[in-house]
Amino acid sequence: MSLRFEEIDWRPTRLGDISLRRRRHPASGDDVYEVKLGDEFLMSSLFTEGEIALARLGLAATTGGGLDVAVGGLGLGYTARAALDDARVRSLIVVDALGEVIDWHRRGLVPLGDALTSDPRCRMVNGDFFAMAGDPQGLDPQEPGRRFHAILLDIDHSPRHVLHPGHAALYRPAGLRSLTDRLHAGGVFALWSNDPPDEQFGAALAQVFAEHEAHVVTFDNPLQGGTATNTVYLAKKDPASSPGQE
């Protein structure tokens, strides 16, 4: 049986001190993995429904097979794992700004690390997703200008509550337009948010994408009792985009 509480790793990073912790759930006895940035909780393996729904809803909105997918934000790996569960996915890159988080997976310190690093379709990239999305070189350092059938983003708490001020520009029309340059015609952008659907962000999506919608994901919250919700935004690039616009 595991220890009741263990700090598995702690590192100073450019965003602040990040720590990976494991504790035993008092009711189930299961191990719960948590990531904190400073004093702020970033993620927990106790609540993964939203991260999994991000991949499932995002890929369900795509058509065809042979999908090339990019994930912004590795975390504990639940979005990436759910994407790889779709047999249509032929390649997946996961971009994370913190090499320390990628290292946790490569060292097998988190439950999904071995599954992700051993899947030949999956490649982890240490980089700033927000800077790369707006750069003509794009999200894949090995293939400049590469486009994807789906981009799944789970880094900030929401479009209004960002981890770094430099992230905010992506959620405005100009930033979203740069993101469409990373998508094939008809490609899908999906975003996880911890907040309820935001009309202002929906209006920004409407200025840039041909279609958009917000899905509310409901799940049990054993810590507070009752249920909690996340939001998954889906936006689709115009399938009639000309080759020059792709």
Side-chain angles (χ1 to χ4, degrees):
M1 182 176 288
S2 68
L3 299 173
R4 289 184 181 274
F5 176 84
E6 178 185 9
E7 185 171 77
I8 299 171
D9 197 18
W10 174 93
R11 310 265 194 103
T13 76
R14 64 180 186 84
L15 296 178
D17 296 338
I18 194 167
S19 60
L20 172 65
R21 303 145 30 117
R22 177 175 57 203
R23 63 180 176 84
R24 195 188 316 156
H25 192 282
S28 67
D30 295 335
D31 283 340
V32 176
Y33 288 78
E34 300 168 333
V35 178
K36 291 185 70 176
L37 184 63
D39 293 327
E40 184 175 15
F41 280 95
L42 289 185
M43 60 203 72
S44 168
S45 63
L46 194 60
F47 304 107
T48 62
E49 290 85 352
E51 288 88 343
I52 293 170
L54 172 64
R56 290 179 177 171
L57 290 169
L59 296 183
T62 65
T63 57
L67 300 180
D68 297 318
V69 180
V71 170
L74 173 57
L76 293 174
Y78 286 93
T79 296
R81 178 67 263 173
L84 291 170
D85 286 341
D86 190 321
R88 298 176 301 151
V89 172
R90 68 181 175 189
S91 73
L92 175 73
I93 68 166
V94 188
V95 179
D96 199 286
L98 298 178
E100 296 82 359
V101 174
I102 294 174
D103 187 52
W104 292 343
H105 286 263
R106 289 176 175 164
R107 292 167 60 195
L109 298 182
V110 290
L112 299 181
D114 290 341
L116 294 180
T117 57
S118 65
D119 193 313
R121 297 173 294 166
C122 181
R123 177 158 47 91
M124 298 178 185
V125 175
N126 182 200
D128 183 341
F129 176 90
F130 297 88
M132 296 167 75
D135 189 310
Q137 298 297 304
L139 298 173
D140 187 351
Q142 295 185 9
E143 189 178 334
R146 184 183 182 192
R147 290 177 173 82
F148 298 88
H149 299 95
I151 296 175
L152 315 174
L153 179 58
D154 176 11
I155 294 178
D156 293 310
H157 295 305
S158 74
R160 291 180 184 267
H161 300 100
V162 296
L163 294 180
H164 187 278
H167 297 180
L170 183 77
Y171 304 111
R172 301 171 187 142
L176 294 170
R177 287 191 186 94
S178 69
L179 195 60
T180 63
D181 292 338
R182 311 277 72 83
L183 288 169
H184 289 297
V188 173
F189 168 55
L191 172 72
W192 176 92
S193 171
N194 195 44
D195 289 350
D198 185 323
E199 291 185 7
Q200 183 176 339
F201 180 62
L205 290 172
Q207 291 184 49
V208 177
F209 290 91
E211 305 172 25
H212 75 93
E213 57 186 326
H215 292 259
V216 175
V217 180
T218 302
F219 52 92
D220 291 333
N221 186 338
L223 296 182
Q224 298 178 341
T227 59
T229 62
N230 294 158
T231 300
V232 173
Y233 295 94
L234 298 178
K236 182 172 285 192
K237 184 175 177 178
D238 189 346
S241 297
S242 66
Q245 293 175 304
E246 290 188 17

